[in-house]
Short mmCIF file of all heavy atoms in Angstrom, two decimals:
data_model
loop_
_atom_site.label_atom_id
_atom_site.label_comp_id
_atom_site.label_asym_id
_atom_site.label_seq_id
_atom_site.Cartn_x
_atom_site.Cartn_y
_atom_site.Cartn_z
N THR A 1 14.79 -12.26 -8.51
CA THR A 1 14.67 -12.28 -7.08
C THR A 1 14.89 -10.84 -6.58
O THR A 1 14.07 -10.45 -5.74
CB THR A 1 15.44 -13.21 -6.49
OG1 THR A 1 15.12 -14.57 -6.91
CG2 THR A 1 15.15 -13.33 -4.95
N ALA A 2 15.91 -10.27 -6.93
CA ALA A 2 16.24 -8.90 -6.37
C ALA A 2 15.18 -7.83 -6.82
O ALA A 2 14.74 -7.04 -5.90
CB ALA A 2 17.55 -8.37 -6.95
N ALA A 3 14.74 -7.92 -8.05
CA ALA A 3 13.62 -6.98 -8.51
C ALA A 3 12.34 -7.31 -7.72
O ALA A 3 11.67 -6.34 -7.23
CB ALA A 3 13.38 -7.12 -9.96
N GLY A 4 12.11 -8.53 -7.47
CA GLY A 4 10.81 -8.81 -6.70
C GLY A 4 10.95 -8.39 -5.29
O GLY A 4 9.94 -7.98 -4.70
N ALA A 5 12.05 -8.76 -4.63
CA ALA A 5 12.29 -8.46 -3.33
C ALA A 5 12.10 -6.92 -3.02
O ALA A 5 11.64 -6.53 -2.08
CB ALA A 5 13.49 -8.96 -2.70
N VAL A 6 12.77 -6.13 -3.96
CA VAL A 6 12.80 -4.72 -3.65
C VAL A 6 11.30 -4.21 -3.79
O VAL A 6 10.83 -3.32 -3.02
CB VAL A 6 13.65 -4.00 -4.71
CG1 VAL A 6 13.45 -2.43 -4.77
CG2 VAL A 6 15.08 -4.25 -4.32
N ARG A 7 10.60 -4.76 -4.84
CA ARG A 7 9.21 -4.26 -5.03
C ARG A 7 8.34 -4.67 -3.86
O ARG A 7 7.53 -3.91 -3.49
CB ARG A 7 8.73 -4.88 -6.42
CG ARG A 7 7.32 -4.53 -6.66
CD ARG A 7 6.90 -5.12 -8.05
NE ARG A 7 5.53 -4.83 -8.29
CZ ARG A 7 5.10 -3.90 -9.15
NH1 ARG A 7 6.08 -2.98 -9.61
NH2 ARG A 7 3.87 -3.58 -9.31
N CYS A 8 8.39 -5.93 -3.33
CA CYS A 8 7.57 -6.36 -2.27
C CYS A 8 8.02 -5.59 -0.94
O CYS A 8 6.98 -5.37 -0.18
CB CYS A 8 7.68 -7.94 -2.13
SG CYS A 8 6.80 -8.75 -3.45
N SER A 9 9.23 -5.26 -0.88
CA SER A 9 9.72 -4.63 0.42
C SER A 9 9.14 -3.14 0.38
O SER A 9 8.62 -2.71 1.46
CB SER A 9 11.12 -4.55 0.45
OG SER A 9 11.53 -4.00 1.58
N ASP A 10 9.07 -2.49 -0.84
CA ASP A 10 8.53 -1.18 -0.86
C ASP A 10 6.97 -1.26 -0.69
O ASP A 10 6.34 -0.36 -0.01
CB ASP A 10 8.73 -0.59 -2.38
CG ASP A 10 10.10 0.00 -2.48
OD1 ASP A 10 10.83 0.06 -1.43
OD2 ASP A 10 10.60 0.17 -3.59
N SER A 11 6.35 -2.24 -1.26
CA SER A 11 4.90 -2.42 -1.03
C SER A 11 4.59 -2.57 0.42
O SER A 11 3.66 -1.92 0.95
CB SER A 11 4.34 -3.62 -1.86
OG SER A 11 3.01 -3.86 -1.69
N TYR A 12 5.35 -3.38 1.21
CA TYR A 12 5.01 -3.60 2.50
C TYR A 12 5.27 -2.33 3.31
O TYR A 12 4.53 -2.10 4.38
CB TYR A 12 5.90 -4.69 3.06
CG TYR A 12 5.69 -5.28 4.47
CD1 TYR A 12 4.51 -5.80 4.75
CD2 TYR A 12 6.33 -4.81 5.53
CE1 TYR A 12 4.11 -6.20 5.99
CE2 TYR A 12 6.15 -5.26 6.83
CZ TYR A 12 4.96 -5.87 7.06
OH TYR A 12 4.60 -6.36 8.31
N ALA A 13 6.29 -1.57 2.93
CA ALA A 13 6.56 -0.38 3.73
C ALA A 13 5.50 0.70 3.48
O ALA A 13 5.11 1.41 4.43
CB ALA A 13 7.95 0.25 3.25
N VAL A 14 4.99 0.73 2.32
CA VAL A 14 3.78 1.58 2.08
C VAL A 14 2.49 1.21 2.92
O VAL A 14 1.93 2.04 3.59
CB VAL A 14 3.32 1.58 0.59
CG1 VAL A 14 2.08 2.31 0.44
CG2 VAL A 14 4.45 2.28 -0.25
N ARG A 15 2.33 -0.13 3.11
CA ARG A 15 1.14 -0.64 3.90
C ARG A 15 1.48 -0.26 5.40
O ARG A 15 0.47 0.05 6.12
CB ARG A 15 1.08 -2.15 3.84
CG ARG A 15 0.33 -2.73 2.73
CD ARG A 15 -0.99 -2.25 2.72
NE ARG A 15 -1.92 -2.98 3.39
CZ ARG A 15 -3.30 -2.82 3.31
NH1 ARG A 15 -3.67 -2.05 2.41
NH2 ARG A 15 -4.01 -3.59 3.97
N LEU A 16 2.85 -0.45 5.81
CA LEU A 16 3.09 -0.01 7.18
C LEU A 16 2.85 1.40 7.56
O LEU A 16 2.34 1.80 8.63
CB LEU A 16 4.49 -0.37 7.64
CG LEU A 16 4.81 -1.89 7.71
CD1 LEU A 16 6.24 -2.09 8.03
CD2 LEU A 16 4.01 -2.50 8.87
N HIS A 17 3.17 2.35 6.52
CA HIS A 17 2.99 3.78 6.83
C HIS A 17 1.55 4.25 6.47
O HIS A 17 1.34 5.49 6.68
CB HIS A 17 4.07 4.52 5.99
CG HIS A 17 5.45 4.41 6.50
ND1 HIS A 17 6.18 3.25 6.35
CD2 HIS A 17 6.17 5.14 7.43
CE1 HIS A 17 7.44 3.44 6.84
NE2 HIS A 17 7.36 4.38 7.66
N ALA A 18 0.84 3.48 5.94
CA ALA A 18 -0.64 3.88 5.59
C ALA A 18 -1.33 4.48 6.81
O ALA A 18 -2.07 5.36 6.76
CB ALA A 18 -1.32 2.79 4.92
N ALA A 19 -1.23 3.80 7.88
CA ALA A 19 -1.94 4.06 9.15
C ALA A 19 -1.47 5.49 9.60
O ALA A 19 -2.22 6.20 10.36
CB ALA A 19 -1.65 3.17 10.22
N LYS A 20 -0.21 5.91 9.36
CA LYS A 20 0.20 7.19 9.82
C LYS A 20 -0.39 8.45 8.96
O LYS A 20 -0.49 9.39 9.32
CB LYS A 20 1.78 7.23 9.68
CG LYS A 20 2.51 6.35 10.68
CD LYS A 20 3.92 6.38 10.56
CE LYS A 20 4.69 5.40 11.33
NZ LYS A 20 6.14 5.34 11.08
N HIS A 21 -0.66 8.07 7.74
CA HIS A 21 -1.12 9.16 6.68
C HIS A 21 -2.54 9.18 6.51
O HIS A 21 -3.09 10.21 6.10
CB HIS A 21 -0.41 8.97 5.33
CG HIS A 21 1.03 8.99 5.40
ND1 HIS A 21 1.73 10.20 5.63
CD2 HIS A 21 2.05 8.13 5.26
CE1 HIS A 21 2.96 10.01 5.59
NE2 HIS A 21 3.27 8.77 5.32
N LEU A 22 -3.21 8.07 6.87
CA LEU A 22 -4.73 7.96 6.49
C LEU A 22 -5.61 7.83 7.66
O LEU A 22 -5.12 7.35 8.76
CB LEU A 22 -4.94 6.83 5.61
CG LEU A 22 -4.19 6.75 4.27
CD1 LEU A 22 -4.46 5.44 3.52
CD2 LEU A 22 -4.28 7.82 3.43
N SER A 23 -6.82 8.27 7.71
CA SER A 23 -7.68 8.25 8.70
C SER A 23 -8.42 6.66 8.62
O SER A 23 -8.05 5.99 7.67
CB SER A 23 -8.83 9.10 8.54
OG SER A 23 -9.69 9.02 7.46
N ARG A 24 -9.08 6.33 9.61
CA ARG A 24 -9.65 5.06 9.69
C ARG A 24 -10.65 4.67 8.50
O ARG A 24 -10.71 3.79 7.84
CB ARG A 24 -10.45 4.85 10.95
CG ARG A 24 -9.55 4.69 12.23
CD ARG A 24 -10.52 4.39 13.34
NE ARG A 24 -9.61 4.43 14.62
CZ ARG A 24 -9.44 3.37 15.47
NH1 ARG A 24 -10.15 2.38 15.27
NH2 ARG A 24 -8.75 3.49 16.44
N VAL A 25 -11.44 5.78 8.11
CA VAL A 25 -12.30 5.63 6.97
C VAL A 25 -11.51 5.46 5.74
O VAL A 25 -11.90 4.68 4.81
CB VAL A 25 -13.32 6.96 6.90
CG1 VAL A 25 -14.09 6.89 5.68
CG2 VAL A 25 -14.04 7.01 8.12
N GLU A 26 -10.41 6.22 5.45
CA GLU A 26 -9.66 6.04 4.34
C GLU A 26 -8.94 4.85 4.28
O GLU A 26 -8.78 4.23 3.24
CB GLU A 26 -8.51 7.32 4.29
CG GLU A 26 -9.20 8.66 4.12
CD GLU A 26 -8.24 9.73 4.38
OE1 GLU A 26 -7.24 9.55 4.90
OE2 GLU A 26 -8.58 10.99 3.90
N LEU A 27 -8.51 4.30 5.46
CA LEU A 27 -8.01 2.88 5.50
C LEU A 27 -8.85 1.80 5.09
O LEU A 27 -8.39 0.80 4.48
CB LEU A 27 -7.49 2.61 6.92
CG LEU A 27 -6.07 3.26 7.39
CD1 LEU A 27 -5.80 3.00 8.76
CD2 LEU A 27 -4.96 2.71 6.43
N THR A 28 -10.15 1.99 5.29
CA THR A 28 -11.09 0.86 4.78
C THR A 28 -11.24 0.99 3.27
O THR A 28 -11.62 0.01 2.74
CB THR A 28 -12.50 1.31 5.47
OG1 THR A 28 -13.06 2.45 5.06
CG2 THR A 28 -12.41 0.99 6.95
N THR A 29 -11.02 2.09 2.55
CA THR A 29 -10.99 2.22 1.15
C THR A 29 -9.81 1.95 0.42
O THR A 29 -9.63 1.88 -0.74
CB THR A 29 -11.58 3.52 0.73
OG1 THR A 29 -10.62 4.49 1.04
CG2 THR A 29 -12.94 3.79 1.34
N LEU A 30 -8.66 1.60 1.25
CA LEU A 30 -7.36 1.31 0.68
C LEU A 30 -7.33 0.13 -0.13
O LEU A 30 -7.72 -0.88 0.50
CB LEU A 30 -6.27 1.35 1.85
CG LEU A 30 -4.91 1.35 1.40
CD1 LEU A 30 -4.41 2.65 0.72
CD2 LEU A 30 -3.96 1.08 2.64
N ARG A 31 -6.75 0.14 -1.34
CA ARG A 31 -6.68 -1.07 -2.22
C ARG A 31 -5.48 -0.94 -3.05
O ARG A 31 -5.14 0.20 -3.42
CB ARG A 31 -7.87 -1.31 -3.02
CG ARG A 31 -8.13 -0.25 -4.01
CD ARG A 31 -9.56 -0.39 -4.62
NE ARG A 31 -9.70 0.71 -5.71
CZ ARG A 31 -10.13 2.01 -5.43
NH1 ARG A 31 -10.20 2.41 -4.27
NH2 ARG A 31 -10.26 2.73 -6.46
N GLY A 32 -4.86 -2.09 -3.25
CA GLY A 32 -3.63 -2.06 -4.19
C GLY A 32 -3.92 -1.91 -5.68
O GLY A 32 -5.01 -2.35 -6.06
N GLY A 33 -3.04 -1.25 -6.38
CA GLY A 33 -3.17 -1.15 -7.76
C GLY A 33 -2.92 -2.47 -8.59
O GLY A 33 -3.42 -2.59 -9.69
N GLU A 34 -2.06 -3.26 -8.21
CA GLU A 34 -1.71 -4.42 -8.91
C GLU A 34 -1.97 -5.69 -7.99
O GLU A 34 -2.28 -5.51 -6.82
CB GLU A 34 -0.23 -4.47 -9.28
CG GLU A 34 0.28 -3.41 -10.34
CD GLU A 34 0.80 -2.25 -9.63
OE1 GLU A 34 1.35 -2.39 -8.44
OE2 GLU A 34 0.81 -1.11 -10.22
N PHE A 35 -1.91 -6.82 -8.68
CA PHE A 35 -2.25 -8.12 -7.99
C PHE A 35 -1.01 -8.46 -6.99
O PHE A 35 -1.42 -8.81 -5.87
CB PHE A 35 -2.35 -9.19 -9.00
CG PHE A 35 -2.61 -10.55 -8.40
CD1 PHE A 35 -3.72 -10.77 -7.65
CD2 PHE A 35 -1.64 -11.61 -8.49
CE1 PHE A 35 -3.94 -12.08 -7.04
CE2 PHE A 35 -1.87 -12.87 -7.94
CZ PHE A 35 -3.05 -13.01 -7.16
N LEU A 36 0.21 -8.43 -7.43
CA LEU A 36 1.26 -8.89 -6.62
C LEU A 36 2.18 -7.73 -6.11
O LEU A 36 2.71 -7.11 -7.12
CB LEU A 36 2.02 -10.00 -7.45
CG LEU A 36 3.20 -10.75 -6.62
CD1 LEU A 36 2.66 -11.55 -5.31
CD2 LEU A 36 3.93 -11.72 -7.54
N CYS A 37 2.29 -7.57 -4.92
CA CYS A 37 3.18 -6.52 -4.36
C CYS A 37 2.85 -5.12 -5.03
O CYS A 37 3.83 -4.64 -5.71
CB CYS A 37 4.66 -6.83 -4.53
SG CYS A 37 5.13 -8.33 -3.62
N PRO A 38 1.75 -4.55 -4.96
CA PRO A 38 1.50 -3.29 -5.48
C PRO A 38 2.41 -2.24 -4.97
O PRO A 38 2.56 -2.07 -3.77
CB PRO A 38 0.09 -3.04 -5.19
CG PRO A 38 -0.20 -3.87 -4.03
CD PRO A 38 0.66 -4.99 -4.02
N ARG A 39 2.78 -1.27 -5.86
CA ARG A 39 3.54 -0.16 -5.38
C ARG A 39 2.70 0.99 -5.21
O ARG A 39 3.11 1.89 -4.34
CB ARG A 39 4.64 0.14 -6.46
CG ARG A 39 5.75 -0.96 -6.58
CD ARG A 39 6.68 -0.56 -7.44
NE ARG A 39 7.56 0.60 -6.85
CZ ARG A 39 8.90 0.51 -6.84
NH1 ARG A 39 9.43 -0.44 -7.11
NH2 ARG A 39 9.36 1.58 -6.23
N VAL A 40 1.60 1.13 -5.86
CA VAL A 40 0.60 2.23 -5.57
C VAL A 40 -0.68 1.76 -5.02
O VAL A 40 -1.25 0.66 -5.48
CB VAL A 40 0.43 2.91 -6.96
CG1 VAL A 40 -0.67 4.02 -6.87
CG2 VAL A 40 1.64 3.37 -7.75
N TYR A 41 -1.10 2.38 -3.94
CA TYR A 41 -2.19 1.97 -3.27
C TYR A 41 -3.15 3.19 -3.44
O TYR A 41 -2.84 4.35 -3.30
CB TYR A 41 -2.05 1.79 -1.73
CG TYR A 41 -1.46 0.53 -1.46
CD1 TYR A 41 0.00 0.37 -1.41
CD2 TYR A 41 -2.20 -0.64 -1.24
CE1 TYR A 41 0.56 -0.80 -1.16
CE2 TYR A 41 -1.55 -1.82 -0.99
CZ TYR A 41 -0.10 -2.01 -0.95
OH TYR A 41 0.40 -3.17 -0.64
N TYR A 42 -4.56 2.87 -3.81
CA TYR A 42 -5.51 3.80 -4.05
C TYR A 42 -6.39 3.82 -2.77
O TYR A 42 -6.76 2.93 -2.17
CB TYR A 42 -6.29 3.53 -5.25
CG TYR A 42 -5.43 3.62 -6.50
CD1 TYR A 42 -5.01 2.43 -7.03
CD2 TYR A 42 -5.10 4.68 -7.08
CE1 TYR A 42 -4.10 2.32 -8.18
CE2 TYR A 42 -4.35 4.75 -8.25
CZ TYR A 42 -3.78 3.53 -8.76
OH TYR A 42 -3.05 3.63 -9.78
N PHE A 43 -6.98 5.16 -2.52
CA PHE A 43 -7.91 5.19 -1.36
C PHE A 43 -8.79 6.44 -1.75
O PHE A 43 -8.50 7.31 -2.55
CB PHE A 43 -7.24 5.56 -0.05
CG PHE A 43 -6.42 6.77 -0.01
CD1 PHE A 43 -7.00 7.81 0.74
CD2 PHE A 43 -5.08 6.71 -0.37
CE1 PHE A 43 -6.12 9.03 0.84
CE2 PHE A 43 -4.44 7.77 -0.19
CZ PHE A 43 -4.84 9.00 0.37
N GLU A 44 -9.90 6.46 -0.96
CA GLU A 44 -11.00 7.68 -1.25
C GLU A 44 -10.70 8.66 -0.26
O GLU A 44 -10.67 8.37 1.05
CB GLU A 44 -12.40 7.17 -1.22
CG GLU A 44 -12.75 5.99 -2.06
CD GLU A 44 -12.76 6.59 -3.67
OE1 GLU A 44 -13.22 7.71 -3.68
OE2 GLU A 44 -12.33 5.79 -4.46
#
């Protein structure tokens, strides 16, 4: 549970900060690298 909670919390924090770092066009191409709580998000 601790490992999963930390991973999902980090994933959610990245999603929250994506709007600060990316333009609207880049946000439309944003996708997660893994199925459950991805830590790395890819965009164009």
Side-chain angles (χ1 to χ4, degrees):
T1 304
V6 167
R7 181 179 177 94
C8 288
S9 183
D10 282 348
S11 176
Y12 188 71
V14 170
R15 276 304 270 196
L16 286 177
H17 287 85
K20 295 178 185 175
H21 296 291
L22 306 178
S23 68
R24 287 182 188 240
V25 175
E26 292 169 344
L27 280 173
T28 60
T29 63
L30 188 66
R31 63 190 185 283
E34 293 99 21
F35 175 68
L36 184 64
C37 298
R39 292 184 68 124
V40 178
Y41 286 88
Y42 299 98
F43 64 95
E44 299 291 325

